[in-house]
Amino acid sequence: MKLDIILTAQEVYPQKVKGKTVIVIDVLRATSVMTTALANGAHQIIPVLYPEEAFALQKKIGKENVILGGERNAIPIEGFDFGNSPFSYPPEIIKDKTLIITTTNGTRAIINSRSASQLLIGSFLNDQAIIEAVKKQEEVVIVASGSNNLFTLEDSLCAGKIAHQLQGLVDTDLSDAAIAMAHLYEQNKNNLHALASQGQHFKRLKKLGATKDLEYCFQSNITKVIPTYTHEGTLVCL
Amino acid sequence: MKLDIILTAQEVYPQKVKGKTVIVIDVLRATSVMTTALANGAHQIIPVLYPEEAFALQKKIGKENVILGGERNAIPIEGFDFGNSPFSYPPEIIKDKTLIITTTNGTRAIINSRSASQLLIGSFLNDQAIIEAVKKQEEVVIVASGSNNLFTLEDSLCAGKIAHQLQGLVDTDLSDAAIAMAHLYEQNKNNLHALASQGQHFKRLKKLGATKDLEYCFQSNITKVIPTYTHEGTLVCL
């Protein structure tokens, strides 16, 4: 398997992802929220770039079965139903609903990766299911979305974990970035939360009071659900 | 000290470097060559983006005191005097000469970083001099140039080494990328050449027969010379 890691959403270009299996990761918190919402029974998720698109789409689909979620710079968006905490999307809220979501980094990474042959949404929450799903692919690209066009520790460590574990399962040919992040994960795996907690985005969320989210999003393998991007621009269970 | 590492030349934007002390690193081989050429007595170095610029500048300055050096994709450029091996620039060749140089990644990183308040050229060869030169600065950005817009192990490990050693000397506030690379360096410092030798660009140079260069460029602290960028667009000794 050829395995690359792209270290920010901004560096995703069609030629890097076209025709490949792509895993988009935004641990804090977009892809953790998406995975949680589908695991809790959401009918589908529609990622959009701008709040205006979300409002227009809600109008088109009808308010009844639609929930608007997301953030800008970790702050909920005015007029939206919920922000970007996974705890805002329990089954009693999200079951059978369409979640329209826009976030600063994760949704951009997904939309930039649309030319992939298969586009999967990953996080620590579904890491083992992701590994199982991609292990027979020939070319895999993991997008560590980062925050505001910057590298983040939590996304790179999650990408490194997947790369490192794939190395143990199949023959791999890793890019320099994948080698670096697989090492970084492996050498810090017993200390992952402590290392990630030094990150700028992590510290900002902590300051905003998202302590529960910061624990939740680092849990490994709590669901087998993998959101996958469809030709219709929606995310559904793989 | 606020300390950031930018992981490819492509991600250098004026707002990330303007008014800051910037260290540009391209271990294999642009910044190792520049440092070597000045250490061996070159009068000045002029980095340019394109071979055509190099020929035009040579015509303007006069052939007598000018040497054209550089590469495209690690291959010497037709009509140039030398390629991108540090061994092409011994004192008997380079002393008192102007070296006009264009390379695939390093010269682009330098030119993208021109809005820095101070722009220094770093490599393993002058790593300790670089640390000494910047340790009292308030904002330092290290640019790991990478190769063809991709992250490379050798540049990131060199950047990580400087970040890690600065952490030991002064109070530092590191970006996520700087934390990651400082850890990667520290956890692999006894194994640096072996780790870097897994890199794509390293392997390509080895295949092209540049084995001597690959040993030379990983030597630490063999010179105190630091090339620094002037308002005239030249590199001279700091």
Side-chain angles (χ1 to χ4, degrees), chain A residues 155-201:
Chain A
D155 294 340
S156 305
L157 286 167
C158 185
K161 180 178 189 181
I162 293 168
H164 172 70
Q165 296 192 346
L166 282 168
Q167 276 185 300
L169 283 180
V170 292
D171 268 348
T172 48
D173 173 15
L174 271 64
S175 71
D176 284 36
I179 293 170
M181 294 312 137
H183 267 79
L184 192 69
Y185 165 74
E186 202 268 328
Q187 291 166 335
N188 296 283
K189 65 185 173 189
N190 299 321
N191 201 28
L192 216 59
H193 199 261
L195 177 56
S197 71
Q198 297 173 39
Q200 300 296 332
H201 183 53

Side-chain angles (χ1 to χ4, degrees), chain B residues 83-104:
Chain B
N84 204 27
S85 168
F87 291 101
S88 297
Y89 304 94
E92 56 272 28
I93 296 282
I94 202 67
K95 197 167 176 328
D96 299 327
K97 297 286 171 65
T98 290
L99 171 61
I100 303 177
I101 192 166
T102 178
T103 70
T104 319

Side-chain angles (χ1 to χ4, degrees), chain B residues 26 33 49-50 61 70 78-79 102-103 114 121 130 139 150 154 169 172 190 204 228 238:
Chain B
D26 184 359
V33 164
L49 284 176
Y50 305 105
I61 303 177
E78 214 186 308
T102 178
T103 70
R114 280 179 300 194
I121 302 304
I130 285 278
E139 288 202 82
L150 295 176
E154 64 276 9
L169 283 179
T172 48
N190 298 321
R204 178 167 155 74
T228 181
L238 181 67

